[in-house]
Amino acid sequence: MIYDFCVVGGGIVGLATAMTLLQRRPGASLILLEKESSLGRHQTGHNSGVIHAGIYYTPGSLKAELCRRGSQATKDFCAEHGIPLEVCGKHLIATNAVEVERMDALYARSIKNNVAVERIDAQELQRREPNIRGLGALFLAATGIVDYKLICETMGRVVRSAGGTIQLGVEVTEIREASGEVVIAARNRRWTAKQLIACAGLQSDRVAQMAGLKINYRVVPFRGEYYQLPPDKNDMFRSLIYPIPDPELPFLGIHLTRMINGSVTVGPNAVLGFAREGYPKFSFSVEDMRDYLTFPGFWKVITKNRKSGLAEMANSLWKRGYLKQCQKYCPSLTLEDLGPYEAGIRAQAVMRDGTLVHDFLFVETDRTLHVCNAPSPAATSALPIGEMIAEKCIGAQSGSDQRDTGR
Ligand SMILES: Cc1cc2nc3c(=O)[nH]c(=O)nc-3n(C[C@H](O)[C@H](O)[C@H](O)COP(=O)(O)OP(=O)(O)OC[C@H]3O[C@@H](n4cnc5c(N)ncnc54)[C@H](O)[C@@H]3O)c2cc1C
């Protein structure tokens, strides 16, 4: 059998893509291959669970556009499928003069990005969030919280009920693109498809290379380590509490996140990982480390961000340093409040010249499309990412069908 579409990766991006392909082309044959025994096991299942409003991103970037659309699409999807969701809003807290200046710039950016934002002063902040201190804050009312793993399971059901096949426990090890088809292999099994869409997250560079692509980036794993507050502190905040980010390193900054199950997490930080899929602290993989240590772009990134990298590493090893970052805006937190919680690992694409790729990155060939970089907020943006990919693939397929039939 020749499938119309083969999707590699059962994270939220692969699932949203599979779901949209079947909505846009009812009756198409589709197979999704996932190497783990359940869906959403990697980045999607280890994130903060935030539906971002899309304030941070460069106006006009793919990230800004897809996040804004994704925020509403995710809420609509949850409403349609009865998935619990809470739109609790988010406060971004400025704690010093530099951050006040950055807050003003961020306010201007949110207007450009079409995201509703409110600027409040210290008194109003304290009235709304009595446990938080700051010189002022931005409030994003549209930010919400959800369980992305639950979204993945629901998307999986939608894919199956639309006639798609999902095979778990299948690690794709070989991809061969020929003129009329793509052959995908895993151990002694193989599948043939007219088109392949690879949404392999932390393995995106390896899957792209497997398909014969000459890529000029590597995935570098960055751990995002969390703590969890004790249950008696679950009601300490009404909204999500974030610091004002450094525009140069927007993914840094520990936040206090209410989770949809009622608990509160603290984090994540961003420290260099020694394994792409090793979640316990000090996990390491020789292969994963060799891949980035032998890549020139990695050394350029490390040299350029030496100071912040070392600070993140120190705070990862020294809990008191981690706590200090939160006490800037929540002085009453103590060391005893920081209980253990599982880390997540970000797939960060780094270019050969040492550029950290902040935007989404896609690479296409005649019969394959690779999602090479889908960093935060790709969970929020997954539905419009899926739509964009589906449009490209369906367009490409009708073009090649017409060529094949000589029209
Ligand atoms: C710590 C952290 C916090 C975050 N917080 C948020 C947040 O609050 N809000 C938000 O919007 N985003 C957040 N993100 C980002 C978001 O989680 C990711 O951008 C998103 O989940 C990426 O989805 P994905 O499907 O591309 O990747 P993944 O979820 O990593 O899925 C990729 C899948 O491909 C599979 N795969 C890989 N190779 C193969 C192969 N050879 N064969 C078969 N299967 C394969 C993997 O097993 C995996 O299941 C966060 C990320 C992290 C790490």
Side-chain angles (χ1 to χ4, degrees):
M1 158 169 197
I2 300 185
Y3 286 94
D4 289 311
F5 304 106
C6 172
V7 177
V8 176
I12 196 164
V13 175
L15 284 158
T17 301
M19 203 176 68
T20 316
L21 281 166
L22 290 170
Q23 280 162 356
R24 297 280 166 93
R25 277 266 318 262
S29 53
L30 178 147
I31 186 162
L32 183 149
L33 304 172
E34 163 56 50
K35 68 182 167 61
E36 303 296 344
S37 57
S38 62
L39 299 170
R41 277 278 275 274
H42 288 294
Q43 295 178 94
T44 308
H46 288 91
N47 67 22
S48 301
V50 178
I51 303 174
H52 288 290
I55 183 177
Y56 304 112
Y57 319 116
T58 310
S61 64
L62 214 46
K63 243 189 184 179
E65 166 65 13
L66 297 179
C67 184
R68 204 174 43 76
R69 280 169 44 202
S71 169
Q72 191 53 50
T74 306
K75 290 170 191 167
D76 293 346
F77 183 82
C78 291
E80 191 186 337
H81 295 277
I83 298 172
L85 159 97
E86 194 189 330
V87 181
C88 53
K90 152 164 136 180
H91 283 100
L92 288 139
I93 318 293
T95 57
N96 57 40
V98 174
E99 288 176 1
V100 169
E101 218 171 278
R102 287 176 181 165
M103 179 171 77
D104 292 340
L106 209 48
Y107 180 80
R109 177 168 277 200
S110 67
I111 305 287
K112 280 195 189 142
N113 278 336
N114 246 329
V115 175
V117 61
E118 184 187 358
R119 192 169 12 196
I120 60 169
D121 62 17
Q123 286 75 28
E124 177 59 13
L125 174 63
Q126 233 205 311
R127 192 189 66 73
R128 293 183 188 186
E129 293 286 359
N131 292 300
I132 298 298
R133 297 283 175 279
L135 300 176
L138 296 181
F139 180 64
L140 301 170
T143 305
I145 49 176
V146 75
D147 178 349
Y148 282 112
K149 215 156 182 285
L150 198 55
I151 292 189
C152 283
E153 284 156 17
T154 308
M155 286 178 169
R157 276 198 296 278
V158 175
V159 168
R160 286 186 176 112
S161 65
T165 303
I166 296 182
Q167 293 209 354
L168 300 172
V170 173
E171 178 167 2
V172 172
T173 49
E174 205 184 316
I175 297 169
R176 196 167 38 77
E177 183 176 354
S179 65
E181 62 188 30
V182 188
V183 178
I184 303 108
R187 291 176 187 249
N188 49 1
R189 301 173 68 187
R190 57 189 58 231
W191 300 265
T192 306
K194 291 184 185 165
Q195 265 180 309
L196 171 124
I197 303 105
C199 309
L202 285 149
Q203 310 294 339
S204 81
D205 53 347
R206 290 180 180 153
V207 173
Q209 283 174 316
M210 212 182 270
L213 262 70
K214 299 264 175 289
I215 51 163
N216 57 351
Y217 80 96
R218 284 290 175 284
V219 167
V220 177
F222 279 94
R223 289 173 66 78
E225 295 165 329
Y226 293 91
Y227 290 101
Q228 186 171 37
L229 296 189
D232 64 330
K233 303 241 156 132
N234 282 353
D235 296 324
M236 218 171 150
F237 319 102
R238 285 152 71 182
S239 61
L240 309 184
I241 307 294
Y242 277 58
I244 296 280
D246 176 348
E248 293 297 310
L249 298 163
F251 49 85
L252 291 188
I254 287 167
H255 41 94
L256 300 166
T257 312
R258 295 181 45 205
M259 306 298 275
I260 196 69
N261 65 7
S263 63
V264 178
T265 59
V266 185
N269 60 2
V271 283
L272 179 64
F274 303 139
R276 295 191 188 197
E277 295 176 356
Y279 295 95
K281 213 169 186 138
F282 308 120
S283 298
F284 79 95
S285 147
V286 173
E287 189 194 356
D288 292 349
M289 288 180 69
R290 190 183 45 220
D291 262 11
Y292 64 73
L293 291 174
T294 55
F295 185 65
F298 167 75
W299 293 104
K300 291 177 184 150
V301 167
I302 291 296
T303 311
K304 198 167 147 206
N305 300 292
R306 200 173 36 229
K307 208 170 140 205
S308 57
L310 286 173
E312 288 290 300
M313 194 77 92
N315 290 337
S316 157
L317 296 169
W318 190 55
K319 202 168 164 184
R320 204 173 283 279
Y322 195 104
L323 175 69
K324 255 185 153 175
Q325 292 187 64
C326 322
Q327 283 176 329
K328 266 174 72 178
Y329 51 81
C330 184
S332 60
L333 283 183
T334 65
L335 272 185
E336 290 67 47
D337 290 333
L338 301 184
Y341 192 80
E342 196 171 41
I345 303 175
R346 301 176 184 85
Q348 176 61 58
V350 173
M351 304 306 284
R352 187 166 282 277
D353 67 2
T355 310
L356 285 173
V357 185
H358 292 306
D359 212 350
F360 302 134
L361 178 68
F362 305 92
V363 174
E364 287 171 78
T365 66
D366 279 354
R367 294 199 171 264
T368 72
L369 186 151
H370 294 258
V371 179
C372 296
N373 194 51
S376 186
T380 306
S381 318
L383 285 160
I385 292 177
E387 276 171 25
M388 204 180 76
I389 296 174
E391 260 163 42
K392 280 178 193 270
C393 291
I394 290 167
Q397 205 164 88
S398 50
S400 71
D401 285 352
Q402 279 180 12
R403 280 196 301 278
D404 291 348
T405 54
R407 274 182 286 149

